Amino acid sequence: MTFGDIVAVALDQIWNNKLRSFFTLLGIIVSVAFLVAVVAIIQGMNAYVKENIAGAVIGTNAFQVRRTPIQIGFFDDEMWARVARRPRLSVSDAEAVRAALPDAAAVAMTTGWPSPLTDVDWRGRVIGDVTVFGVTPPYQEVQDYKIERGRPLLDTDITQRRAVVVLGYDVASKLFESVSPIGQEVKLGGDKFEVVGVIAPKGRVLGQSFDAFALIPFTRYEMLYGRRLTTTVSVKMPDAKDVAPAMQRAEEAMRLAHHLRPTQANNFSIETADALVDFWKQLTAVLFSVIPAVVAIGVVVGGIVIMNIMLMAVTERTREIGIRKAVGARAQDIERQFLAEAVVLAITGGILGVALGWGFAELVATASPLPARITGWSVMLAVSLGAGVGVIFGVFPARRAARLDPITALRAE
């Protein structure tokens, strides 16, 4: 028999026993679907974090000089003790970085943790839990904010400690539904501020709005809330290729400003958006470590079922095997036939699993904020997994069929 004949017979056997074939492949279908769907969601999330969250938090072509490193999760006691001994960043630190980077597009200061949440009140209408940031004007450029109405914060607002505020789009649209917010007086935590600008919407990421905030002058902020523990210096460079060398120059400037000797470690951190992406990938790596175990269990169970079904098929088709041997079929022909049936059966399960996983990933992406990106390597791995299962668990039934004595097989009913 040719290879085409072997595959055709295998497909015919699967088609003639559709229900049995489906339940035989159920373990492989579910395992492969799980692999494709979870990998698609994780890969999509990685890309989404890199393209949206990281850029929204730190800014594009930007980096931050921070007292504390970006950390997802809790600091252990030893790390927290080291961070607590670090000096807070000051205006002089920002000036040192600015002097070292004359080619920077913007160098800004922004207040950090703990960021206060306050109510914004306009004539009795209140928007609660609005995050208030104290910033210098260049921060608006670092974050790529676009002013939809009014004006941004200005240097004179900083030097004169003016009680002015620029509102995020969500706050302004909810507070002033039918009235222009510019020139209106609002209360932030009981203190009066004049609204001078509204920032164009940035949108929502994973259901979290990036437009529910209020920006006030850095100097006014420290008058009201005091100096923060984690004031941050943000730097935006004209191009992405300029970021790495700029970070090196900023590090040198900070070490000089903090009077650190060559043998002393940095008592500050310099972070890019990649830090957020790296931390996210560390979290998703935990999921990736679990996936092989789950998939392996399902595949092994599916493989055992395939082997048992093929052994049953050998028993059912004993007379057919005897007839084939009687008319000249060799043992290797019989072995190839049954091995091909097992492989085709497993590959079919792999393809159905890929289709099911793909569909589930698209459904998740459509019905929720979770993105999903199908990767070629996961599809190839899934199909290869199916083929491998067919070979591994199909060898024993195939050899058993090939070793049947033709006389005994012809006597079988």
Side-chain angles (χ1 to χ4, degrees), residues 104-411:
V107 178
M109 291 194 73
T110 178
T111 54
W113 179 84
S115 298
L117 296 176
T118 189
D119 293 341
V120 181
D121 184 336
W122 177 70
R123 298 181 182 177
R125 179 175 289 182
V126 179
I127 304 297
D129 294 334
V130 175
T131 305
V132 180
F133 295 105
V135 302
T136 56
Y139 179 77
Q140 297 160 113
E141 184 177 353
V142 172
Q143 294 298 114
D144 300 314
Y145 287 146
K146 302 291 186 287
I147 298 299
E148 185 182 70
R149 299 184 191 180
R151 66 168 177 84
L153 295 178
L154 305 174
D155 289 331
T156 52
D157 297 327
I158 303 297
T159 57
Q160 297 179 22
R161 296 180 172 86
R162 289 177 177 170
V164 294
V165 61
V166 173
L167 296 177
Y169 182 82
D170 279 0
V171 180
S173 61
K174 292 176 182 177
L175 208 57
F176 307 97
E177 293 179 349
S178 57
V179 179
S180 173
I182 306 305
Q184 299 292 334
E185 187 178 83
V186 298
K187 290 183 179 179
L188 272 66
D191 295 288
K192 295 179 180 180
F193 283 80
E194 178 189 351
V195 179
V196 295
V198 175
I199 293 175
K202 282 247 183 181
R204 305 178 74 86
V205 177
L206 301 178
Q208 177 66 42
S209 173
F210 276 89
D211 300 309
F213 60 85
L215 303 181
I216 65 176
F218 185 87
T219 49
R220 187 77 183 187
Y221 181 101
E222 290 198 334
M223 284 177 58
L224 298 176
Y225 300 105
R227 190 178 176 191
R228 298 291 91 182
L229 297 174
T230 56
T231 299
T232 300
V233 178
S234 299
V235 180
K236 183 179 183 68
M237 300 304 295
D239 194 85
K241 63 180 176 57
D242 301 323
V243 172
M247 290 173 66
Q248 294 179 352
R249 284 185 284 158
E251 181 180 7
E252 294 171 0
M254 286 294 296
R255 288 186 63 86
L256 289 173
H258 286 197
H259 307 291
L260 295 175
R261 293 189 295 273
T263 56
Q264 290 181 295
N266 290 341
N267 56 6
F268 56 89
S269 296
I270 298 183
E271 308 275 9
T272 65
D274 292 338
L276 280 174
V277 177
D278 290 341
F279 275 118
W280 173 258
K281 288 183 176 179
Q282 288 176 22
L283 293 180
T284 56
V286 176
L287 289 177
F288 270 121
S289 66
V290 173
I291 290 173
V294 176
V295 173
I297 292 171
V299 165
V300 169
V301 171
I304 291 172
V305 173
I306 288 177
M307 184 173 65
N308 287 334
I309 293 297
M310 293 305 299
L311 287 172
M312 185 172 68
V314 171
T315 303
E316 290 176 349
R317 296 161 62 186
T318 299
R319 186 172 179 80
E320 174 193 331
I321 295 169
I323 293 172
R324 288 192 178 186
K325 284 195 170 185
V327 297
R330 298 170 299 176
Q332 54 263 42
D333 294 327
I334 303 298
E335 183 174 348
R336 279 200 300 267
Q337 177 61 51
F338 279 87
L339 185 59
E341 289 184 21
V343 172
V344 170
L345 194 63
I347 290 177
T348 302
I351 294 173
L352 291 175
V354 168
L356 182 63
W358 196 316
F360 181 76
E362 292 297 330
L363 179 63
V364 169
T366 302
S368 74
L370 292 174
R373 293 189 178 182
I374 302 295
T375 54
W377 68 265
S378 65
V379 173
M380 293 302 298
L381 176 62
V383 176
S384 301
L385 201 59
V389 168
V391 172
I392 294 171
F393 290 93
V395 168
F396 178 67
R399 287 186 176 175
R400 183 171 179 178
R403 291 172 183 171
L404 283 177
D405 180 70
I407 303 300
T408 304
L410 284 170
R411 289 176 180 169

